[in-house]
Amino acid sequence: MKLNLDTTRIARCRECAGDIADTIMEGVNRVTTTTIERTVCRLIGIDGVDSAGVPLPNVLVDMLHEAGRLASGAACYVGRAIVATGLSPQAIAEKVAAGEMDIVSFDSVEHDLARAALEDLVAKGIARIEANAERRRELMEKLSPGIEPLIYVIVATGNIYEDVNQAQSAAKAGADIIAVIRSTAQSLLDYVPYGATTEGFGGTFATQENFRIMRKALDETSLETGRYIRLVNYCSGLCMPEIAAMGAMERLDMMLNDSMYGILFRDINMKRTFADQHFSRMINAFAGITINTGEDNYLTTSDAYQEAHTVLASQFINEALAHRSGLPDEQIGLGHAFEIDPAMTNAFLYEVAQAQMARDIFPNEPLKYMPPTKYMTGDIFRGYLMNGMFNLAGVMTGQSIQLLGMLTEAVHTPHIHDRYLAIRNAKYVFSTARDLGCEMTFKPGGIVETRAQKVLDEAAVTLEQVREIGLMAAIEEGVFAGISRAPDGGRGLDGVAEKADDYWNPFEDEISARLKKNGGGACD
Amino acid sequence: MTKVDLKNIRPYGDTLDDGKVQLAFSLPLRYGPEAKEAARQLAIEMGFEDVDVVSAHDLGGSFSFFVVYGKCKHSVDVTQLHIPKVEVEQMDYFQTNDFIRDKLGRKITVVAACTGSDAHTVGIDAIMNMKGYAGEPGLERYPWFRAQNLGAQVPNETLVAKAIDADADAILVSQIVTQKNVHISNLTRLVDLIEAEGIRDEVLLICGGPRISHELALELGFDAGFGPGTLPSHVAAYIAQELVRKEHRTSARLAEER
Ligand code: B12
């Protein structure tokens, strides 16, 4: 540890966060959601859309939900239909969509038979995810996995084929990680769009086909450059576990997956989000996908200096919940950001304090460091320097994933040369100051150390308060990002159902068993 | 020093009228002498002389990036420019409150929102929120303002309905996302809606955002537009002064009619 932080205080924060997460998990374990059941459908091989363009998993699950049958889970209904008709899940979904079959008409088929009928399909779904994780391990061994801080850039043209051009260019210039930013408001769609897409707004739709197209392109570039280029997309929104499953099937390497982002920033119902994030993180965990949490977002609406402790408190909570979904530390990319007002004297010292503190407190986690955005203006020259300072803070405090700032942040989504210049900036700073962190100690009781300890103390107070009243009430009080959300407010609550006694989710069971066997975190 | 000719303004590097300009762009061409020459010729087409491609980079196969210097041969006649500016005499928080009390004698009601699919709240909050922005209190803190902030992603219809309900003196709209000119179509629709409701003459219509200028606002049928770096006091002072001007205009018109 480089900053002489109070270790009992850190332990206390973890304990609080653990209790907070346990309370949340009690609620999570009692319910399922429409998107969780659609995920099960997808993993047993249901894909495609009906004649009106509605994804078949939605058609099937909506029908179950309308019939009040969500409580038992989609799997047993599909299983029963297989036993009764001998058809594949895909054929069953197609018939249901065409109005030729009633999915709840096979109640006479015994539950055990239904389970047995799905056994092979579940094994196949699991094997596909495992094979992808294995393939990633192979490629990482064969090619270079990159040196930390890994260089992470975004593409966001709206057209997946144009994104490929931008991504390959960035990878060749030195990017290790490519994130395809999603189209505005995709997170509020209660379905996942289908097929390759060429029109998006502020980003490109996350579809399984788009994942496949970009994965293939980046694999080509990986072989060409000798570096494994990681691919990122977003689990957040109303379809967290479905997108996690698609990412697992198409070998994404990282996914944005925050336990509270949807609640705070997209006004998605909290019961829905907590349930969805849990199953989606289990899938991420099993697929070897590193999650990225979204604490940086708090600082877009709150002041980064005043509210720094809420970032740390949230990191503890995100960590505790991630552990409960079976994610090991190595796959928990906690987020934070370089967003202090640059007009403040010693702002850089406070940034270093925050970044070093996160590194000290979460030593094994691949921290994801976000660049200055809020104080970026049309002055691209000053912005380029701010990004240089951000890169310096990143390399000297040992950050794992550096999301590069763009000099044109306040103007537009990045152009091809904005990204190129950002990569040149990062490569220069990372190289010129590569071992600066190892050479440096902080003055005991100095500005940096004092600031970090203060933030830790304040986070501890916040976590105690949250434990006292519960996370849901804390969110209602606006503890995070100054945004208040009610437990029964927000979108998607109508897609939450209490589980019945006979509830069955074969993938949750199987993944949970495997994660335990692999020695990952104990999964609730 | 030679005198600046306002009728023929050119870019300035280190000598008057040297016309020096720097620019940077990419071409969808494989890096090489041809790409570099293409960049040079393009700059000449843009109206530059003495073009110098000072830096050229390979953007990974099928794209190249250039930094180019040139001398601009065009000029602008500044004496012919007419830029509309928001008509406002600078006043601080206290001055504005006193002004409203003395000149208007009643509270001003404003309704604000960030409209359409735009979810960016920070800009409108900066103007409206109690806690304010850049050390200045927001409109909600002004005792002589009744300020209501509806937040982000508010449909135009909702904003107009709320404004009518509140009998608002002013409607404040924020537009941050400008991709594919969504802000233009969104703001235009708001004006149409307000005209259709027949309340255009009763409210001050004000928009703001990083890509908004007063000129653009006027063009779109607004009373005023505020761009980057706007402070709450600018907006408060403008609203107060404009409402007083408006009252004068109305009473003058009524007097004339009588
Ligand atoms: C913070 C932020 C976010 C936050 C917003 C949080 C929130 N609750 O507001 C989050 C993370 C949610 C977000 C999301 C997105 N964002 Co955003 N975001 C920003 C960012 C970094 C800062 C904006 C900001 O807060 N500025 C600070 C405020 C104080 O400044 P301001 O808004 O200009 O306001 C001032 C003036 O303009 C004026 N003003 C503004 N409004 C009004 C109104 C009135 C009446 C008046 C008088 C004055 C006034 O006064 C204010 C004070 O001076 C900008 C980049 C940047 N640096 O500008 C991108 C940016 C605006 N976002 C962008 C994009 C594309 C998005 C997304 C579409 C990304 C995606 N694919 O999901 C989504 C859109 C979601 C949606 N539906 O709108 C683009 C927009 C590109 C464009 N030109 O259209 C930008 C420029 C970033 C980029 N380069 O890509 N974003």
Side-chain angles (χ1 to χ4, degrees):
Chain A
M1 197 149 77
K2 302 207 76 177
L3 297 166
N4 196 19
L5 298 169
D6 181 347
T7 51
T8 53
R9 190 59 52 89
I10 296 173
R12 185 111 178 113
C13 285
R14 279 222 162 77
E15 190 194 302
C16 270
D19 291 346
I20 291 164
D22 285 339
T23 309
I24 290 297
M25 288 309 299
E26 281 169 26
V28 166
N29 288 325
R30 278 201 298 272
V31 300
T32 185
T33 70
T34 42
T35 181
I36 290 177
E37 298 311 321
R38 298 196 297 255
T39 308
V40 172
C41 293
R42 289 184 183 279
L43 288 170
I44 51 176
I46 298 175
D47 197 7
V49 290
D50 71 5
S51 54
V54 181
L56 293 180
N58 285 67
V59 173
L60 203 89
V61 169
D62 285 351
M63 211 160 272
L64 286 172
H65 197 25
E66 274 155 31
R69 302 295 190 100
L70 206 61
S72 307
C76 77
Y77 290 96
V78 178
R80 282 177 180 144
I82 295 174
V83 175
T85 65
L87 294 171
S88 70
Q90 179 68 21
I92 289 167
E94 283 167 8
K95 279 202 177 302
V96 168
E100 293 163 15
M101 185 191 285
D102 181 1
I103 190 69
V104 293
S105 63
F106 309 107
D107 286 355
S108 59
V109 177
E110 282 198 22
H111 204 96
D112 287 350
L113 286 177
R115 277 175 180 254
L118 280 185
E119 211 171 284
D120 286 351
L121 290 165
V122 171
K124 218 170 115 188
I126 291 284
R128 176 165 178 189
I129 298 176
E130 255 181 342
N132 275 335
E134 183 51 36
R135 177 80 182 132
R136 181 189 304 110
R137 263 191 299 274
E138 264 171 40
L139 286 169
M140 288 264 202
E141 256 165 46
K142 189 171 131 196
L143 307 166
S144 160
I147 306 166
E148 292 188 354
L150 295 171
I151 292 180
Y152 178 128
V153 293
I154 63 170
V155 298
T157 68
N159 177 334
I160 188 64
Y161 301 106
E162 206 67 69
D163 283 347
V164 163
N165 286 332
Q166 303 255 332
Q168 288 186 320
S169 161
K172 285 177 194 166
D176 301 299
I177 307 173
I178 304 290
V180 181
I181 300 297
R182 286 195 312 192
S183 179
T184 306
Q186 179 171 0
S187 48
L188 299 184
L189 302 180
D190 209 344
Y191 64 90
V192 185
Y194 181 76
T197 67
T198 54
E199 256 172 62
F201 189 77
T204 307
F205 283 102
T207 72
Q208 195 166 343
E209 184 59 23
N210 286 349
F211 287 3
R212 198 174 297 141
I213 291 168
M214 187 57 88
R215 176 75 277 168
K216 185 164 168 279
L218 293 184
D219 278 352
E220 277 167 21
T221 312
S222 297
L223 293 175
E224 202 180 317
T225 59
R227 290 177 298 119
Y228 182 67
I229 312 298
R230 293 163 180 79
L231 175 58
V232 188
N233 212 296
Y234 291 63
C235 281
S236 48
L238 281 164
C239 300
M240 293 184 82
E242 282 179 278
I243 299 189
M246 293 174 174
M249 290 190 268
E250 305 304 336
R251 189 165 33 87
L252 266 60
D253 305 289
M254 288 183 188
M255 300 198 88
L256 280 90
N257 189 324
D258 190 276
S259 58
M260 296 189 278
Y261 178 85
I263 304 168
L264 296 171
F265 293 94
R266 291 291 176 267
D267 197 11
I268 295 175
N269 174 264
M270 52 179 90
K271 292 171 188 165
R272 167 77 176 253
T273 293
F274 285 130
D276 289 349
Q277 62 88 32
H278 174 58
F279 188 43
S280 71
R281 285 175 167 196
M282 285 180 65
I283 297 170
N284 289 157
F286 180 59
I289 290 174
T290 296
I291 64 162
N292 295 177
T293 64
E295 280 82 359
D296 51 285
N297 290 289
Y298 300 168
L299 305 179
T300 62
T301 49
S302 295
D303 181 74
Y305 183 78
Q306 301 295 337
E307 301 296 322
H309 61 286
T310 62
V311 168
L312 180 58
S314 170
Q315 287 172 328
F316 277 116
I317 294 171
N318 254 316
E319 177 192 60
L321 281 168
H323 284 158
R324 279 154 186 76
S325 303
L327 280 157
D329 284 357
E330 292 69 23
Q331 279 171 249
I332 306 174
L334 295 175
H336 61 134
F338 188 99
E339 287 278 24
I340 298 176
D341 186 348
M344 188 174 189
T345 305
N346 281 329
F348 183 71
L349 274 66
Y350 302 129
E351 296 288 10
V352 168
Q354 185 83 16
Q356 188 66 55
M357 175 191 71
R359 184 29 88 220
D360 284 1
I361 296 176
F362 306 103
N364 303 317
E365 267 123 306
L367 295 175
K368 182 189 182 195
Y369 200 20
M370 301 288 286
T373 61
K374 194 160 115 179
Y375 290 101
M376 294 295 275
T377 65
D379 182 355
I380 57 173
F381 302 102
R382 180 174 194 257
Y384 199 60
L385 178 57
M386 280 166 67
N387 286 330
M389 297 299 283
F390 160 68
N391 289 332
L392 182 61
V395 70
M396 73 191 249
T397 60
Q399 301 301 308
S400 308
I401 301 165
Q402 187 94 357
L403 191 150
L404 300 193
M406 295 292 137
L407 76 170
T408 52
E409 168 63 34
V411 189
H412 49 229
T413 48
H415 288 170
I416 195 164
H417 40 259
D418 299 338
R419 219 178 278 105
Y420 174 78
L421 290 169
I423 294 168
R424 300 254 301 172
N425 179 331
K427 281 175 63 163
Y428 163 62
V429 175
F430 291 173
S431 151
T432 198
R434 177 62 66 196
D435 294 316
L436 179 62
C438 316
E439 288 293 307
M440 217 175 43
T441 53
F442 292 98
K443 183 169 146 192
I447 296 174
V448 172
E449 207 177 87
T450 309
R451 166 69 185 169
Q453 184 61 46
K454 179 164 176 278
V455 173
L456 172 60
D457 291 347
E458 288 174 2
V461 172
T462 300
L463 285 166
E464 298 272 6
Q465 280 167 355
V466 174
R467 174 163 69 175
E468 181 83 22
I469 59 174
L471 184 55
M472 294 203 184
I475 292 174
E476 193 165 15
E477 284 190 7
V479 168
F480 301 100
I483 295 168
S484 161
R485 302 292 186 206
D488 287 319
R491 303 172 173 94
L493 181 60
D494 53 355
V496 181
E498 293 276 330
K499 288 178 184 168
D501 290 339
D502 66 350
Y503 176 78
W504 181 47
N505 177 342
F507 290 97
E508 195 177 354
D509 295 349
E510 188 63 30
I511 290 175
S512 166
R514 304 243 182 166
L515 286 173
K516 256 181 212 142
K517 205 173 72 196
N518 296 349
C523 205
D524 273 81
Chain B
M1 194 179 140
T2 28
K3 207 165 165 324
V4 176
D5 175 7
L6 290 180
K7 288 185 164 302
N8 280 295
I9 284 295
R10 288 204 162 79
Y12 174 87
D14 64 0
T15 307
L16 191 65
D17 288 335
D18 61 13
K20 283 288 190 177
V21 167
Q22 66 204 44
L23 58 155
F25 56 87
S26 297
L27 293 177
L29 288 174
R30 181 170 287 280
Y31 176 75
E34 289 78 12
K36 215 172 142 174
E37 179 56 20
R40 199 182 70 84
Q41 292 200 15
L42 212 63
I44 293 169
E45 289 294 317
M46 290 180 207
F48 295 108
E49 288 170 336
D50 290 351
V51 172
D52 201 356
V53 179
V54 296
S55 186
H57 301 258
D58 179 359
L59 296 193
S62 22
F63 296 90
S64 308
F65 173 59
F66 305 95
V67 180
V68 179
Y69 276 82
K71 285 166 86 164
C72 175
K73 53 186 180 202
H74 303 293
S75 67
V76 168
D77 180 354
V78 182
T79 62
Q80 295 305 309
L81 300 181
H82 303 285
I83 308 296
K85 296 184 186 91
V86 178
E87 271 175 56
V88 57
E89 209 172 296
Q90 207 42 60
M91 298 192 295
D92 69 13
Y93 169 83
F94 300 100
Q95 291 167 322
T96 297
N97 279 311
D98 291 350
F99 179 87
I100 301 171
R101 187 195 57 211
D102 299 344
K103 299 272 162 72
L104 213 56
R106 63 171 176 88
K107 284 195 181 189
I108 296 174
T109 302
V110 301
V111 176
C114 180
T115 55
S117 62
D118 201 330
H120 294 86
T121 54
V122 182
I124 192 69
D125 286 350
I127 306 299
M128 298 292 288
N129 275 9
M130 273 294 171
K131 71 174 180 202
Y133 176 66
E136 277 198 5
L139 264 52
E140 288 170 359
R141 171 74 56 81
Y142 283 65
W144 286 88
F145 270 95
R146 210 178 283 121
Q148 194 183 349
N149 185 352
L150 304 178
Q153 294 192 313
V154 176
N156 281 323
E157 292 76 11
T158 312
L159 173 59
V160 173
K162 293 271 182 190
I164 293 174
D165 264 5
D167 197 11
D169 297 298
I171 297 179
L172 272 59
V173 202
S174 178
Q175 288 287 275
I176 310 302
V177 176
T178 59
Q179 254 160 4
K180 299 184 182 148
N181 278 333
V182 274
H183 62 308
I184 306 280
S185 46
N186 203 25
L187 291 171
T188 310
R189 243 178 290 125
L190 179 66
V191 173
D192 291 348
L193 209 61
I194 285 175
E195 278 171 1
E197 290 286 344
I199 56 163
R200 182 63 192 90
D201 292 336
E202 282 142 50
V203 287
L204 280 183
L205 200 48
I206 302 167
C207 59
R211 296 280 95 75
I212 303 283
S213 66
H214 184 53
E215 193 172 9
L216 173 68
L218 294 182
E219 233 169 78
L220 297 176
F222 283 72
D223 292 302
F226 291 84
T230 304
L231 294 172
S233 62
H234 297 161
V235 185
Y238 165 75
I239 295 173
Q241 292 171 20
E242 188 61 29
L243 284 177
V244 169
R245 274 195 290 268
K246 218 171 138 181
E247 291 218 334
H248 284 164
R249 277 198 299 270
T250 318
S251 39
R253 205 186 58 224
L254 288 178
E256 216 165 273
E257 279 168 14
R258 248 184 268 125

